[in-house]
Amino acid sequence: MSGEMLAVYTDAPGGPENLYLKKVPRPEPGNREVLIKVCASALNRADLLQRRGRYPPPPGASAILGLEAAGDVSGLGAGCRGSWSVGDRVMALLSGGGNAQYVTVPEDHVMAIPNHMAFSQAAAIPEAWLTAYQLLHLVADVQKGETVLIHAGASGVGTAAIQLCRLAGAVPIVTAGSPGKLKMAAELGAAAGFNYKEEDFSENTLAFTKGHGANAILDCIGGSNWERNVKCLSTDGRWVVYGMMGGSEVHGDILGKLLFKRGRLLTSLLRSRSMEYKANLVKSFRDNVLPHFSPDLPTPLQPVIDCVFPMDQIADAHSYMEANKNTGKIIISIDPST
């Protein structure tokens, strides 16, 4: 298959105004790869960083923005093992390329979209939910009954982590920056929520846990929160940093305070993981979590969507996320007919 497609493009690092749609060659599926006709993609903080020139794609990955996509299988590369057929409705975890009309992806980084789910809903799952699943279970090793403090609790990863905590029998508590975001987090199952703009989340976390502290912290903020994070971390707790929205510099006695609590500082990124790691993660999520999105269950898991932007309004979508306006995922509609 050959031809052209539209893709989100930027010629130089900078602001959202640098983004535009460009005709580029349609990708060809390689060995054991699937070609997807993309119906919907979604926006992630990593896309904003890449646009600014601060988060380049891994070697060999598409330079086009977009770490997740949902659509129809349009073609199969050589060596595919029969898991997928042309026309299958699928969602995929990507290293890049999702903000385009077509994308190629290894066949074992693909999951079937549940029958009841629209493409726009499915596009909200791969990057955010697999990130949250990885942080909770593969990095922090969260156990039943433990308290997990989730920063940015109304984000895509945050709303997924709340629900995955409940599924695992853990107790999620969150921070967010508005009453509306805290209300959404509570509706999803957060046992408590703290407005970081108005109150000290570390004091509130200690009060909620009766002085014990959080067993695990999922932190996408980084430097600006370090002292309060360590303060409310439990003895032997796990502090997982997966983003640095609050900066990367730390000043003070972080090692001494962490050592006193025997705390573990863990860091994690998903995009740069190996192909094998991602394949195993997708399989684990597909087997252990995906069935819980069924609407037949009493409390099914649900992707939380804030809004949908057409592909030609991608600059507006980036500006909207940079203003921290979203509660849940920002979806990019690639094919309006779906």
Side-chain angles (χ1 to χ4, degrees):
M1 184 181 295
S2 61
E4 293 184 322
M5 66 174 184
L6 285 175
V8 173
Y9 213 78
T10 180
D11 294 320
E17 68 277 3
N18 285 14
L19 297 169
Y20 67 99
L21 298 187
K22 180 180 180 178
K23 283 188 175 181
V24 298
R26 184 185 302 175
E28 298 282 351
N31 186 54
R32 292 185 57 190
E33 285 189 334
V34 172
L35 176 68
I36 299 173
K37 183 180 185 296
V38 181
C39 297
S41 185
L43 199 57
N44 292 280
R45 291 279 170 182
D47 298 313
L48 276 57
L49 292 172
Q50 183 174 332
R51 189 205 70 224
R52 297 175 195 149
R54 293 170 52 192
Y55 191 25
S62 171
I64 297 168
L65 301 178
L67 301 181
E68 52 199 338
D72 298 307
V73 174
S74 180
L76 302 169
C80 284
R81 295 169 295 182
S83 301
W84 307 108
S85 301
V86 171
D88 285 347
R89 299 171 72 248
V90 295
M91 52 187 171
L93 177 68
L94 308 172
S95 297
N99 292 176
Q101 291 176 315
Y102 289 87
V103 68
T104 56
V105 59
E107 62 174 346
D108 46 11
H109 295 185
V110 176
M111 296 177 284
I113 297 175
N115 292 333
H116 71 282
M117 196 174 285
F119 288 118
S120 58
Q121 294 173 300
I125 291 177
E127 175 69 16
W129 281 79
L130 285 164
T131 294
Y133 182 73
Q134 174 200 221
L135 296 175
L136 288 168
H137 297 293
L138 278 67
V139 182
D141 191 27
V142 168
Q143 302 297 309
K144 184 176 181 180
E146 290 190 322
T147 298
V148 182
L149 173 60
I150 302 165
H151 289 303
S155 66
V157 173
T159 55
I162 292 168
Q163 297 177 74
L164 289 172
C165 276
R166 286 300 187 188
L167 184 64
V171 181
I173 59 177
V174 304
T175 65
S178 74
K181 291 183 176 183
L182 292 173
K183 182 175 183 292
M184 167 61 77
E187 291 171 353
L188 293 173
F194 316 123
N195 188 331
Y196 65 86
K197 295 180 179 179
E198 300 177 353
E199 51 193 329
D200 185 338
F201 71 79
S202 63
E203 293 289 350
N204 288 343
T205 297
L206 289 169
F208 177 84
T209 58
K210 297 180 172 55
H212 180 270
N215 302 101
I217 300 174
L218 303 191
D219 181 20
C220 57
I221 307 301
S224 62
N225 271 354
W226 82 262
E227 198 157 15
R228 283 170 290 177
N229 279 329
V230 175
K231 180 179 180 180
C232 68
L233 186 68
S234 71
T235 300
D236 295 317
R238 290 88 70 202
W239 170 22
V240 181
V241 177
Y242 69 100
M244 293 181 292
M245 291 169 57
S248 58
E249 289 192 11
V250 170
H251 303 280
D253 186 23
I254 182 172
L255 294 180
K257 293 178 183 295
L258 203 56
L259 178 62
F260 181 77
K261 289 194 170 184
R262 300 194 304 270
R264 280 179 275 169
L265 174 58
L266 305 162
T267 64
S268 182
L269 294 173
L270 178 54
R271 188 183 193 184
S272 57
R273 299 277 189 176
S274 70
M275 295 294 104
E276 182 182 9
Y277 179 98
K278 291 178 183 178
N280 290 333
L281 178 65
V282 167
K283 182 181 185 304
S284 180
F285 182 87
R286 184 190 66 213
D287 293 345
N288 297 307
V289 178
L290 202 55
H292 294 275
F293 284 91
S294 170
D296 298 329
L297 296 174
T299 54
L301 302 178
Q302 53 179 316
V304 178
I305 296 173
D306 181 277
C307 57
V308 180
F309 283 87
M311 188 183 185
D312 59 5
Q313 294 178 22
I314 186 67
D316 294 334
H318 276 239
S319 296
Y320 186 79
M321 176 173 273
E322 286 188 327
N324 294 320
K325 293 180 179 179
N326 58 300
T327 300
K329 294 288 286 186
I330 299 169
I331 303 301
I332 309 300
S333 174
I334 307 296
D335 183 353
S337 68
T338 59

